[in-house]
């Protein structure tokens, strides 16, 4: 029943595709190519849109820019801080939510709530939670005898503050996807294992983990990509600054800074491409591990 | 039996403690938004305000042009959601039902571009300024009128609708275009509602893009307006919390009404994506 492509069919398809392709072409594909070229602009007249010279200067510049190095370092710390913790916590909660308990729907909605809310608005709420003297975080820490931490003004604590909030924000989405994955596991496996006398930990390790590997794989790719692009949280949590003494400066923040505040299009594009390459390499690594480890 | 009951109790405890931690920021926001400035700065913290200051909302609303920001956010959200749904439905139909030259290549190229960090596409700014759209609605809407992810999601759904249906319709003299809108679209309702909700939430909460392409106060959307308000309001936390509540509330309400779809939809999109 497979129809062969025809000229007539192609024209008809183009008609259906035109609106999407025009938008995607102009605002997605064209800029991907353009920003690649732009990253090699070394002498550029923005007002006249004339390029006088091409070269590697932008890449050399960011390579030597300590600020860019800081933002790469911070972004990696952020990804390492958020992704594993978020995946482990959300898997755990998803497994608990997958048992036969009451109020499952209500629990699910509550965990998902941060996902639907504005990052900017919740970051401003967290700014108040992290307040050194009047924030509830330090109040609770005080109850267990820990001295107030200057979450947002101490460069050593800015990153942990950002990471804690981001884990909170990301849990719901991961939980939902894990729940869907868990519901696809045939219950028979657990029954069989139970008859064989496998403990619940063994059942988790030998049934849940391997059967859930495609889902975990998907969740980790999405989580890594999203974490590399962190920006809104930083901007709102530190009130339009990249943390005290640049302690929470991330790659996208750097790009924003170079592009929007300093009008250095070439440097911003070069940094954007570095970010793209990092994400690309990570996705490839994950795909490679996925091929070897994921059992379908 | 006793052991099972015990572990069930353990599950409830963990889940309840977890949901309290998830809800705490919202409770703290709401409670602060109704306090007097004296009570805001009190240690130990006051959870239930002694006198509920509803006028905080009025004061916050009046201190910045929030009415204008809200109108902008509504215009941008509604138009870009409707637009994306239209382009998505048409494109997903072509990719799932018409076999045309270069289909697989075009589809592969589109999927490949999904990995590129969307918001750092600097040349869009140049394009928009050449079009004279900076600081105008089209800059906030037009670049977001199509999404590869949505096209992919809906195409998967369309592929699941039996082809026999379209042959039957053809014999009955129904045109392809009419068939798409009267039969396929209603059948794909779960996927379409999901795309709609994710888009509405994303559009309402978008920050970096509106921050970059708006310059005047009049063109700001709510999240951009909120950050500038937070700089201006400084440490007046009861007003900041009132403003945050106002911005978060519409999407929470939308979500609570349509949560059945979104949870299913995200899960499905997740598994297939």
């Amino acid at each position: 029943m497979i129809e062969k492509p025809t000229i007539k069919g192609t024209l008809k398809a183009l008609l259906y595709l035109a609106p999407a392709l025009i938008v995607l072409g102009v605002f997605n594909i064209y800029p991907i190519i353009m920003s690649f070229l732009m990253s090699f602009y070394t002498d550029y007249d923005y007002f006249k849109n004339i390029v006088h010279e091409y070269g590697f200067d932008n890449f050399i510049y960011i390579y030597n820019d300590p600020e860019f190095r800081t933002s790469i370092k911070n972004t990696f710390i952020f990804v390492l801080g958020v992704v594993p913790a978020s995946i482990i916590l959300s898997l755990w909660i998803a497994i608990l939510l997958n048992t036969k308990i009451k109020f499952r729907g209500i629990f699910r909605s509550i965990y998902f709530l941060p996902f639907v809310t504005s990052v900017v608005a919740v970051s401003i709420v967290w700014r108040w939670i992290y307040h050194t003297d009047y924030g509830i975080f330090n109040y609770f820490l005080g109850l267990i005898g820990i001295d107030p931490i200057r979450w947002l003004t101490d460069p050593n604590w800015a990153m942990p503050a950002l990471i804690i909030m981001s884990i909170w924000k990301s849990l719901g989405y991961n939980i939902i996807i894990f729940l869907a994955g868990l519901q696809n596991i045939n219950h028979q496996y657990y029954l069989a294992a139970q008859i064989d006398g496998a403990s619940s930990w063994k059942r988790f390790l030998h049934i849940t983990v391997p059967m859930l590997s495609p889902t975990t794989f998907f969740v980790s790719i999405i989580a890594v990509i999203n974490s590399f692009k962190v920006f809104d949280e930083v901007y709102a949590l530190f009130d339009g600054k990249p943390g005290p003494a640049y302690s929470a400066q991330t790659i996208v923040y750097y790009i924003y800074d170079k592009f929007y505040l300093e009008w250095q299009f070439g440097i911003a594009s070069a940094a954007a491409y570095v970010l793209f390459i990092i994400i690309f390499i990570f996705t490839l690594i994950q795909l490679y591990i996925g091929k070897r480890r994921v059992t379908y | 039996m006793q052991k099972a009951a015990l572990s069930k109790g353990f599950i409830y405890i963990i889940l309840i403690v977890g949901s309290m931690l998830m809800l705490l920021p919202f409770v703290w926001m709401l409670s602060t938004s109704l306090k007097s400035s004296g009570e805001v700065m009190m240690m130990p913290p006051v959870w239930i305000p002694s006198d509920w200051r509803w006028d905080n909302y009025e004061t916050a609303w009046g201190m910045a042009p929030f009415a204008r920001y809200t109108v902008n956010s509504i215009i941008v959200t509604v138009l870009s959601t409707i637009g994306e749904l239209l382009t998505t439905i048409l494109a997903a139909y072509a990719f799932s039902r018409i076999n045309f030259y270069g289909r697989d290549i075009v589809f592969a190229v589109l999927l490949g571009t999904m990995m590129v960090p969307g918001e750092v596409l600097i040349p869009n700014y140049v394009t928009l300024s050449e079009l004279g759209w900076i600081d105008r609605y089209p800059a906030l809407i037009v670049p977001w009128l199509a999404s590869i992810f949505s096209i992919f999601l809906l195409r998967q759904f369309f592929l699941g609708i039996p082809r026999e249906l379209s042959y039957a319709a053809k014999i009955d003299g129904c045109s392809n275009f009419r068939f798409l809108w009267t039969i396929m679209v209603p059948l794909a309702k779960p996927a379409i509602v999901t795309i709609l909700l994710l888009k509405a939430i994303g559009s309402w909460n978008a920050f970096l893009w509106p921050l970059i392409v708006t310059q005047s106060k009049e063109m700001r959307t709510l999240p951009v307006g909120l950050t500038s308000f937070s700089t201006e309001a400084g440490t007046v936390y009861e007003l900041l919390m009132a403003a945050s509540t106002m911005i978060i509330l519409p999407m929470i309400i939308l979500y609570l009404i349509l949560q059945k779809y979104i949870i299913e939809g995200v899960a499905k999109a997740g598994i297939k994506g």
Side-chain angles (χ1 to χ4, degrees), chain A residues 123-136:
Chain A
S123 300
I124 288 174
V125 174
W126 276 82
R127 198 155 91 203
W128 174 223
I129 291 172
Y130 283 135
H131 194 285
T132 310
D133 303 318
Y134 305 107
I136 40 169

Side-chain angles (χ1 to χ4, degrees), chain A residues 1-7 9-10 12-13 16-17 19-21 23-24 26-32 34-35 38 44 46 49 92-93 96-97 99-102 107-118 120-122 124-129 131 133-136 139-140 168 171 173 176-177 180-181 184 215 218 225 229 231-232 235-236 239 252 255-256 259-260 263 265 268-269 272 275-276 279-280 283, chain B residues 8 11-12 14-16 18-19 21-26 28-29 32 40-45 47 87 90-91 93-95 98-101 106 109-110 113 115-118 120-131 133 142-143 145-148 151 163 167 176-177 180 198 201 205 207-208 211-212 214-215 223 226-227 230-231 234 237 240-241 244 247-248 251-252 255 259 262-263 266-267 270-271 273:
Chain A
M1 217 48 156
I2 297 163
E3 294 158 44
K4 282 229 161 82
T6 57
I7 304 272
T10 308
K12 204 171 77 185
Y16 280 97
L17 286 170
L21 284 188
V23 175
L24 292 173
V26 174
F27 294 105
N28 238 301
I29 296 173
Y30 168 77
I32 288 172
M34 267 313 281
S35 59
M38 220 177 229
Y44 175 58
Y46 167 65
N49 199 12
W92 191 39
I93 295 166
L96 296 184
L97 278 177
T99 49
K100 282 198 193 88
I101 48 157
K102 280 176 196 158
F107 280 128
R108 223 167 50 165
S109 307
I110 291 173
Y111 285 104
F112 199 61
L113 216 49
F115 176 79
V116 298
T117 54
S118 150
V120 168
V122 294
I124 288 174
V125 174
W126 276 82
R127 198 155 91 203
W128 174 223
I129 291 172
H131 194 285
D133 303 318
Y134 305 107
I136 40 169
Y139 167 73
F140 285 125
W168 172 83
L171 283 181
Y173 181 80
I176 296 299
I177 303 206
N184 285 337
T215 312
F218 173 80
I225 292 179
K229 298 197 286 192
F231 172 80
D232 302 8
Y235 190 99
D239 204 8
V252 176
I255 295 167
Y256 164 79
F259 165 67
Y260 192 64
W263 295 90
F265 287 13
S269 297
L275 173 64
F276 169 58
I279 292 178
F280 187 70
T283 311
Chain B
K8 202 147 237 184
I11 290 174
Y12 277 114
I14 305 250
L15 286 178
I16 289 169
S19 9
L21 289 176
M22 293 314 271
L23 283 177
L24 197 78
F26 295 114
W28 185 234
M29 170 186 77
T32 307
V40 168
M41 302 286 181
M42 233 179 231
M43 266 297 163
W47 289 96
T87 61
L90 293 173
Y93 179 78
F95 279 124
I98 308 172
N99 199 0
F100 56 91
Y101 289 111
V106 174
V109 168
L110 289 185
T113 60
M115 229 192 311
V116 181
V120 294
L121 296 173
I122 291 146
N124 276 346
Y125 189 88
V126 182
T127 308
L128 291 171
S129 63
E130 274 167 5
L131 289 166
W133 285 356
V142 178
L145 284 180
S147 143
I148 297 161
I151 293 172
R163 280 203 166 230
Y167 297 132
N176 284 327
F177 193 70
L180 169 64
L198 289 179
I201 290 170
N205 295 334
F207 177 63
L208 181 55
L211 176 70
I212 287 175
T214 59
Q215 286 154 354
L226 180 64
T227 55
S230 103
T231 312
Y237 280 103
L240 267 177
M241 294 305 108
S244 300
I247 290 173
I248 287 176
M251 285 303 126
I252 291 186
Y255 161 65
Q259 59 170 326
I262 193 169
I263 288 181
V266 169
I271 288 313

Side-chain angles (χ1 to χ4, degrees), chain B residues 169-186:
Chain B
K170 226 174 215 171
I171 292 166
D172 288 346
C174 177
S175 73
N176 284 327
F177 193 70
R178 227 185 84 204
F179 174 76
L180 169 64
W181 292 101
T182 54
I183 303 195
M184 295 212 9
V185 167

Side-chain angles (χ1 to χ4, degrees), chain B residues 54-130:
Chain B
W54 291 102
D55 56 313
N56 284 342
Y57 283 82
E58 232 180 288
T59 314
W61 185 261
M63 270 177 72
F66 277 113
R68 177 75 204 212
Y69 302 160
T70 309
V71 171
N72 290 343
S73 276
I74 291 172
I75 290 174
V76 170
T77 303
V78 169
L79 290 184
S80 50
T81 305
I82 293 174
E84 185 186 290
L85 280 177
L86 290 176
T87 61
T88 301
I89 290 168
L90 293 173
Y93 179 78
F95 279 124
S96 65
R97 279 293 189 273
I98 308 172
N99 199 0
F100 56 91
Y101 289 111
R103 184 180 68 177
D104 297 340
I105 297 167
V106 174
F107 195 62
V109 168
L110 289 185
L111 281 186
T113 60
M114 259 170 62
M115 229 192 311
V116 181
E119 279 163 317
V120 294
L121 296 173
I122 291 146
N124 276 346
Y125 189 88
V126 182
T127 308
L128 291 171
S129 63
E130 274 167 5

